[in-house]
Amino acid sequence: MQELESRNEAALAAIAAAQTPDELEAMRVEALGKQGWITLALKTLGGMSPDERQVAGPRIQGIRAAVSDALAARKQVLEDALLEQRLASETLDLTLPAPAAPRGSVHPVSQVMDELAEIFADLGFSVATGPEIEDDWHNFTALNMAETHPARAMHDTFYFPDADSDGRKMLLRTHTSPVQIRSMVAQGAPIRIIAPGRVYRSDSDATHTPMFHQVEGLVIDRDIHLGHLKWTLETFLKGFFERDDIVLRLRPSYFPFTEPSVEVDVGWQDVKGRRVLGGDGDAPGHGWMELLGSGMVNRKVIEFAGLDPDEWQGFAFGVGVDRLAMLKYGMDDLRAFFDGDNRWLAHYGFSAFDQPTLSAGVGARA
Ligand code: DAH
């Protein structure tokens, strides 16, 4: 018993001095494990006389309790210390400045397309799309430009070397007008769509890039006339340029896919040497700027698309999106649109949070 008492004292001292959980665990096994000295001492109780056991039993149990309490207490102390150490070394300084804001911006072309979608959605139009790799039937023939039509030559078309499986010549679409055909074929009538997207022509100078953007508009319904066209364009342009004094002038023109065809001019005025849209182009100090092509959809086009032109009529228009962006936001070089220069994008780009909405204004700028 004397020996047990001194082992107990030594063990308690060692436990109090232990520096790591591993050391403690080794001490626990040594005392309380299967072959531990306390476990073995408890086993000797069975061989004792009842009198001896009555004395030795509580003492050995006392030693067992003292050692396991000491182990638990020291373990707690070591764990607390470890936690303190982690808390001290893993602090987050919440007073540091926020990281730099993301630097990407929305390209003016994307912004303008979003603005157009918003304005026309309010007039009941949905957004339609078509392939940029087109066949010459959709791009030309169905738009009343037969193989030999001289208007084809004006389009500076990029052709692919191979025809498709129907023997149609393949090309990069030269305008968004083929989406008119695709929409009529796919959904029949009535129709109210705009179709924004990329178009391609083999042409390159200060005002022409081989790829640029157009938006097509198409309305097909019963009893549609030129008045609907003019009102729609006027409403669109007033909304887009955020001015009520937008004045349009319709001039007779020619496109194979419309009859009659009209070229639409918009009045501008001189404001400190800059042409600003708005006002009657015929007034002194004012002028007219050609903006877009449009007209009543040619009967032949409606027929090509599989609809009955005696039942369905409509109007269409096409306008350059890049041009609209330049006029609204004041860029003067089209080529810069496609240079990918970060300084230009930082200057003319829009915040991703600056979504155009009719309620907040389709031209809101951060
Ligand atoms: N597709 C024509 C072009 O690219 C633009 C155009 C003119 C579209 C008149 C139309 C339209 O829908 O009616 O030059």
Side-chain angles (χ1 to χ4, degrees):
M1 211 59 235
Q2 194 55 48
E3 195 196 324
L4 279 181
E5 297 287 2
S6 52
R7 269 201 101 153
N8 183 29
E9 264 165 50
L12 293 178
I15 289 167
Q19 292 302 314
T20 66
D22 284 353
E23 274 177 55
L24 270 187
E25 176 60 10
M27 290 171 191
R28 189 192 65 78
V29 171
E30 194 187 325
L32 300 166
K34 263 194 187 146
Q35 299 299 317
W37 55 271
I38 295 176
T39 310
L40 295 177
L42 283 167
K43 280 185 183 161
T44 63
L45 287 174
M48 290 181 188
S49 69
D51 285 350
E52 283 175 324
R53 196 186 301 138
Q54 210 159 36
V55 179
R59 289 179 69 181
I60 300 175
Q61 290 292 3
I63 289 171
R64 194 187 66 88
V67 169
S68 64
D69 285 354
L71 283 167
R74 186 64 190 162
K75 190 173 175 214
Q76 190 63 53
V77 168
L78 291 180
E79 282 177 357
D80 286 353
L82 257 168
L83 183 62
E84 283 303 322
Q85 208 183 340
R86 277 190 59 192
L87 287 174
S89 64
E90 295 178 10
T91 49
L92 258 186
D93 184 351
L94 298 179
T95 65
L96 281 174
R103 264 181 294 164
S105 61
V106 176
H107 195 284
V109 169
S110 302
Q111 180 77 12
V112 164
M113 284 183 177
D114 288 348
E115 293 177 17
L116 296 173
E118 183 69 17
I119 291 168
F120 278 101
D122 198 48
L123 301 176
F125 287 62
S126 53
V127 173
T129 56
E132 289 168 31
I133 296 175
E134 257 302 2
D135 57 68
D136 78 340
W137 188 82
H138 286 93
N139 195 82
F140 290 127
T141 312
L143 288 161
N144 196 32
M145 283 185 261
E147 195 94 29
T148 53
H149 200 289
R152 282 199 183 202
M154 291 163 56
H155 277 224
D156 302 308
T157 312
F158 288 112
Y159 282 98
F160 288 92
D162 299 320
D164 74 357
S165 51
D166 296 328
R168 290 173 179 171
K169 269 194 257 177
M170 299 302 288
L171 46 83
L172 290 175
R173 68 178 179 191
T174 58
H175 52 177
T176 44
S177 300
V179 185
Q180 289 188 34
I181 306 298
R182 291 187 174 273
S183 298
M184 282 189 267
V185 169
Q187 71 179 72
I191 291 182
R192 264 187 240 180
I193 54 129
I194 57 165
R198 295 190 178 117
V199 301
Y200 302 84
R201 290 185 201 179
S202 177
D203 201 354
S204 190
D205 59 37
T207 53
H208 297 87
T209 48
M211 185 282 297
F212 57 107
H213 300 85
Q214 288 187 334
V215 60
E216 194 80 10
L218 175 69
V219 168
I220 298 286
D221 211 323
R222 296 187 170 90
D223 306 320
I224 297 292
H225 55 72
L226 213 57
H228 296 122
L229 167 61
K230 192 177 183 201
W231 180 88
T232 303
L233 291 177
E234 227 166 56
T235 305
F236 146 48
L237 293 169
K238 283 178 180 175
F240 179 74
F241 289 110
E242 298 177 283
R243 298 182 67 114
D244 279 335
D245 64 347
I246 295 290
V247 181
L248 301 186
R249 182 176 74 174
L250 271 52
R251 274 182 298 111
S253 183
Y254 174 77
F255 301 102
F257 31 89
T258 45
E259 181 57 40
S261 300
V262 288
E263 201 103 50
V264 177
D265 300 335
V266 57
W268 56 265
Q269 51 199 284
D270 194 305
V271 178
K272 294 183 199 137
R274 275 192 75 97
R275 290 182 176 189
V276 174
L277 294 192
D280 179 353
D282 284 330
H286 292 223
W288 295 106
M289 181 185 301
E290 186 184 315
L291 191 61
L292 56 86
S294 66
M296 302 307 295
V297 181
N298 194 310
R299 296 177 54 91
K300 288 193 193 152
V301 171
I302 293 177
E303 253 167 30
F304 268 120
L307 296 175
D308 177 1
D310 289 325
E311 182 177 6
W312 302 105
Q313 301 79 43
F315 63 80
F317 58 87
V319 54
V321 173
D322 316 290
R323 181 99 192 290
L324 287 175
M326 291 167 86
L327 287 171
K328 181 165 179 178
Y329 294 115
M331 308 84 164
D332 51 18
D333 187 353
L334 175 67
R335 288 170 298 190
F337 274 60
F338 311 118
D339 281 347
D341 184 328
N342 273 325
R343 291 162 303 179
W344 189 89
L345 289 167
H347 184 77
Y348 289 110
F350 293 80
S351 160
F353 297 112
D354 196 10
Q355 299 262 351
T357 60
L358 280 181
S359 54
V362 288
R365 268 216 102 149

